[in-house]
Amino acid sequence: MVDQKITPLEFEKPLALLAQQIELLEKQIGEGAHPELENDLDRLNQQYDQLKRSLYSNLRGIDHLALARHPQRPYTRDYLGRWDSAWIEMHGDRKGVDDPAMVTGLLRMGDHKVVVCGTQKGRTIHEKKNCNFGMPQPEGYRKALRLFQHAEKFQLPIINLIDTPGAYPGLAAEEHNQAEAIAVNLRELSGLTVPVISVITGEGGSGGALAIGVANRILMLEHSVYSVISPEGCASILWRSADKVAEACTAMKMTAREIKQLGVADEVVTEPLGGAHHDADFAAEKLREALVRHLNELTKMSPKELRKDRQNKFRRLGAFVES
Amino acid sequence: MVDQKITPLEFEKPLALLAQQIELLEKQIGEGAHPELENDLDRLNQQYDQLKRSLYSNLRGIDHLALARHPQRPYTRDYLGRWDSAWIEMHGDRKGVDDPAMVTGLLRMGDHKVVVCGTQKGRTIHEKKNCNFGMPQPEGYRKALRLFQHAEKFQLPIINLIDTPGAYPGLAAEEHNQAEAIAVNLRELSGLTVPVISVITGEGGSGGALAIGVANRILMLEHSVYSVISPEGCASILWRSADKVAEACTAMKMTAREIKQLGVADEVVTEPLGGAHHDADFAAEKLREALVRHLNELTKMSPKELRKDRQNKFRRLGAFVES
Amino acid sequence: MFCSRGFLSENSFQRAAPRPEGLSDNDMDLKEWFANRKKKQEQAEVKQPLTTEEYCALWTQCFQCRELLYTKDLRENLHVCPKCLYHFRVGAEQRVEQLTDPGSFEEIDANLRSSDPLGFVDSEPYPKRLRDAERKSGLVEALLSGTATMEENPVALGIMDFGHFGGSMGSVVGEKVARLIEHAEEKRLPLILFSSSGGARMQEGILSLMQLAKTSSALKSFHDAGLLYISVLTEPTYGGVTASFAMLGDIIIAEPGARVGFAGRRVIEQTIRQKLPADFQTAEYLLSHGQVDMVVERTKLRETLVQLIEFHTKQNKPKSGSSQQTEPVIPGRAG
Amino acid sequence: MFCSRGFLSENSFQRAAPRPEGLSDNDMDLKEWFANRKKKQEQAEVKQPLTTEEYCALWTQCFQCRELLYTKDLRENLHVCPKCLYHFRVGAEQRVEQLTDPGSFEEIDANLRSSDPLGFVDSEPYPKRLRDAERKSGLVEALLSGTATMEENPVALGIMDFGHFGGSMGSVVGEKVARLIEHAEEKRLPLILFSSSGGARMQEGILSLMQLAKTSSALKSFHDAGLLYISVLTEPTYGGVTASFAMLGDIIIAEPGARVGFAGRRVIEQTIRQKLPADFQTAEYLLSHGQVDMVVERTKLRETLVQLIEFHTKQNKPKSGSSQQTEPVIPGRAG
Ligand SMILES: [Zn+2]
Ligand SMILES: [Zn+2]
């Protein structure tokens, strides 16, 4: 019942404490020492379930952020492998770089054949470093663009999975013009005539996320977040204090439900209670069902309609007063 | 009459010797020492003119090669500046590199507005190094491609000037996939719907030359050369000797007239006697006249015709027997 | 009229613009300089007919070479230091004056105002910050857009003003850029956008980020229509503006010394833990790294833009009776 | 049957192929190895029932791991060393056998022969070299082209053979590639080209260079027709072939260990005057440098090609009565 392998987050500490007590009690009962404690155990288990439900239905922005960044959260490759164990990975920008932080390939999903692109964080230290903690280089965005063009040529739908702190603020990245790499992707994605669905699976960090986020449908996992700047960056600029991350999270309205209320996300996809990392299979299946449903809808549209639909979606976004 | 600033080539040595004698004689006569030598001077001058004409009408392949590589030969920028002192240079591949070995820009020529691309050798030691002796990097070919696409968008004719030993055989060039850069240019040039004219102004070295050489019309300056491999490379592979460059030049049929006979070049453009470096203004004007003439013809064709014309031109090239 | 630290926008000459976020303050304050100077002069010979404020109106110190410049001369030289070519920041209205035929500029979409979709509050509510920014800068938004003629060539022109809210792009800037692009496409006008921005406007959250997609998407249609877009990068252009319309020009021009990038210098230095080259992210650095087509001095910007517009829009007219070889006359070129 | 140094083409097993130009000769000669062994054995106990030639027909030494392999097993493993996965070079006909449905391959353009447009002579005239190459390799050209089916999927297939004239591309190879592309476009077939080449054929001079343009141009039309082209890079692919059709695949696959580049390793080392990394220009190096989509072992090549073809050509058939969530069956996959 209590998943021991999952590292508890700060806000999950009360739950973890309770779980420890339950475990202790179970051990004692198991050893036959205090069979009269069984009632206590039942009560504790009930408390645990209650606390869990109430905890996860009253999460603050910063709690979602913590879940979105949970080190055990499923990453792009975890989803792809579950959806199609025979998916075909494609590599490289053809110009000197294969960015491991951007995974691209061909995949079957239900009756649909799709091109997939996704940012990839690493699990092990070596992977993390290799994937630059999920921050693609300009060449990563250009690799994605190559696959978008492949999809357009063969009229294949595109699914993008987004889980990135953003583009990498590095010397080479600026030298190789990451601003241009992102901008070109925004422009070219908007012109495609195939269905494009983007999913924020974890962190949706600024322009680096949007670079594969110009889609007909934007889905967000329940605990994922999407923001114009990292909450840390926002706190340090507007509050001039690194301690105000929670305030920045709240102010920016970056949770899945808020982003949907703002008209940016089209659907919030339910995660297992406690977050996708508690049951990656379940999370992958839920997301898969949602994707197939949207694919079924979008593939009914004509190429021209698809392009127009996507351009209209972004044309409408924004809030202003016209006097 | 004798141009002193021009460095004589090996095969021009007899001419240079004669020029020295004439100069000596002129000096003596000028000093009033031997006025009776005036007849000798006339005779020598006649000899000089005769030798010059006969020398330049009986050049071997390796002599053309030497002229094509003459350090004082006009380079791309020398032509562009003479054709339009107000030409507008465009820079960069937008992805991190501006290759000085590939010059690109916008230029007016007669009533025509054209996009120009050209390989650039350096004149000074600093320039030579900067331009990598006229050998573009992959990013140089991609810079040219960007301009080709610009020309296509705005339906501007393209003029390419070629004077390059070839692509650079370097580590970074291979890493950045120069083969792909060249191949993509070949494919994309063939698909353009605007007039493309390429001119071999000096050395046309292999794939690195062809990368901006897929044109509706291929012009060659009288002493320019065009070959599938450098004569030095050919000699070392087939003759296994660096001394056999002259033989390789002859065997490969790489002079302007030979390339025209093989159906590859469409026109040989006359150079001043002794080579373009003897009178760059004249050479530039002659080439300009030829270019305007071809532009006038090509701009009468429809976009579709232009593409078809270019594809047909290369489709026909080759020699084989069909039994 | 107020004194200015050269580093600030030319707006500050007239409007005491708010200190843009994220800019360093290590330059010498001109008022201080005058105060010191006055003190010295008073000690020597007491003969000081002008007040400090009057002095400031007349003189401007160059941020780069520290030369004291006669403000009127500086303005006539388009706010470029005649000594060291330092390009002072200029406001959108001044750009219009510098670039367009007199009286030809017609503003569009002047009636768009920011709202507060998130109810955003940090130390102050966003609406109050907006009112303050408007009062201080005299501008209602960070972008001025409209149509004009340049040497009789009609153009669609959008100019960002760093003086308002650090040139940040929120919904209004995004909407105005998108409408300008659509207007230019409909009328088949060449489009010129001047960028100057600290990035997306945090106070409008994710909706600001979406303006990157909105503007880039509008440029896709514009591009496919075969129309000309010239992007001009001016000091400073960062973040979401760089990563959208600023980098999508058919031709990209930068003003000398302008700093342009995606991530800011300080963020990068903190990330990679090493000092960056001094010229990092300057216009000249961008040029040598293939990111811009040309760096053009402000005093030659107008003629360059006209030349480029005429090159890409005017049909070739065969001159009757003239030879094909005649050098064409390019209007607007000094030589 | 002849003995082979593993480094040479599998052709050499049957045809004693000419030594390809530009390849090193530092590997141990197998005959020598046997001679030594025999000598030793004779010294010990004289019991040697097979002649050297018979031995060679039965056994092959792996070039990489030096293991002695039973030739029949090696052939059944598609000439991939079962110990170290070294990929022996194979000829075009063998590729056809390995890849296509039995009996499905129909060659086209078999009647094209090289001519001698330049009258090229070095130490020998080009026509004589051609005759020698044909006699030694049993092939009339360096490319075999035709149509076939792969697990019932019709394809246009072109395979270069390094065994003929070092796989060099002259007019015939260029013409055959162009015709194959045109044929594939007309019949709307997926196209697969296997490259293996030392580059353009010098003996046909500038006309060889023009084959780069001819083949790339044909691929432009093919590409615009929305058809699938898979390029397979095999040991070795260099020069003009790399710089044309080999690098233009929608998908590019390389065989493990295959060396692919534009300029040759030795030329680069002479130019830059430094040693290159050991894995420079190998398939694996290309993969990590973003130049190929995947490196696929020969034993999995056929199923990968079929999978890719079916992915890009077959229409999605909604399975009647089955749920959308059912994992699709991908034919030709081992698991
Ligand atoms: Zn100054
Ligand atoms: Zn082995």
Side-chain angles (χ1 to χ4, degrees), chain A residues 20 68-69 91 103 122 132 137 143 196 206 213 241 251 312 316 323:
Chain A
Q20 273 177 14
R69 289 177 178 171
H91 286 275
V103 171
N132 202 23
Q137 305 283 344
K143 173 185 180 181
V196 184
S206 187
S241 157
N312 285 345
R316 281 191 308 265
S323 60

Side-chain angles (χ1 to χ4, degrees), chain D residues 112-287:
Chain D
L112 299 196
R113 294 288 180 281
S114 296
S115 66
D116 182 19
L118 309 189
F120 195 98
V121 182
D122 48 273
S123 60
E124 284 181 347
Y126 177 44
K128 176 161 189 320
R129 285 196 185 275
L130 279 171
R131 283 194 304 274
D132 289 353
E134 182 172 341
R135 188 167 41 76
K136 285 180 194 160
S137 68
L139 299 167
V140 295
E141 254 306 331
L143 178 93
L144 179 65
S145 60
T147 56
T149 60
M150 294 174 67
E151 312 234 349
E152 296 176 22
N153 297 282
V155 296
L157 183 62
I159 304 171
M160 296 196 76
D161 198 318
F162 197 80
H164 180 88
F165 227 104
S168 67
M169 173 159 71
S171 298
V172 171
V173 170
E175 182 70 18
K176 286 178 86 169
V177 169
R179 288 192 188 185
L180 182 68
I181 296 167
E182 287 159 358
H183 182 77
E185 185 178 339
E186 195 193 319
K187 304 288 184 195
R188 299 197 67 79
L189 296 175
L191 169 72
I192 305 174
L193 288 173
F194 280 72
S195 301
S196 184
S197 171
R201 193 171 293 181
M202 285 174 282
Q203 290 85 350
E204 296 182 23
I206 202 71
L207 294 180
S208 291
L209 186 64
M210 294 303 124
Q211 306 312 309
L212 279 64
K214 184 198 279 187
T215 54
S216 302
S217 169
L219 282 173
K220 177 65 181 167
S221 302
F222 187 79
H223 182 271
D224 290 353
L227 296 166
L228 177 68
Y229 164 36
I230 303 174
S231 170
V232 186
L233 311 175
T234 74
E235 160 74 9
T237 300
Y238 277 89
V241 167
T242 317
S244 59
F245 59 85
M247 274 296 164
L248 293 176
D250 293 304
I251 299 166
I252 303 181
I253 298 173
E255 279 197 339
R259 290 169 304 167
V260 180
F262 181 61
R265 187 188 181 91
R266 209 175 305 169
V267 175
I268 298 169
E269 284 186 338
Q270 281 166 2
T271 306
I272 65 174
R273 284 169 201 173
Q274 61 185 75
K275 289 294 277 183
L276 293 164
D279 67 342
F280 183 65
Q281 292 184 331
T282 61
E284 295 72 20
Y285 181 94
L286 262 57
L287 184 69

Side-chain angles (χ1 to χ4, degrees), chain D residues 62-67 69 81-86 88:
Chain D
C62 176
F63 172 68
Q64 190 168 269
C65 72
R66 302 278 157 187
E67 184 83 14
L69 306 167
C81 172
K83 305 286 176 190
C84 74
L85 295 184
Y86 176 75
F88 286 71

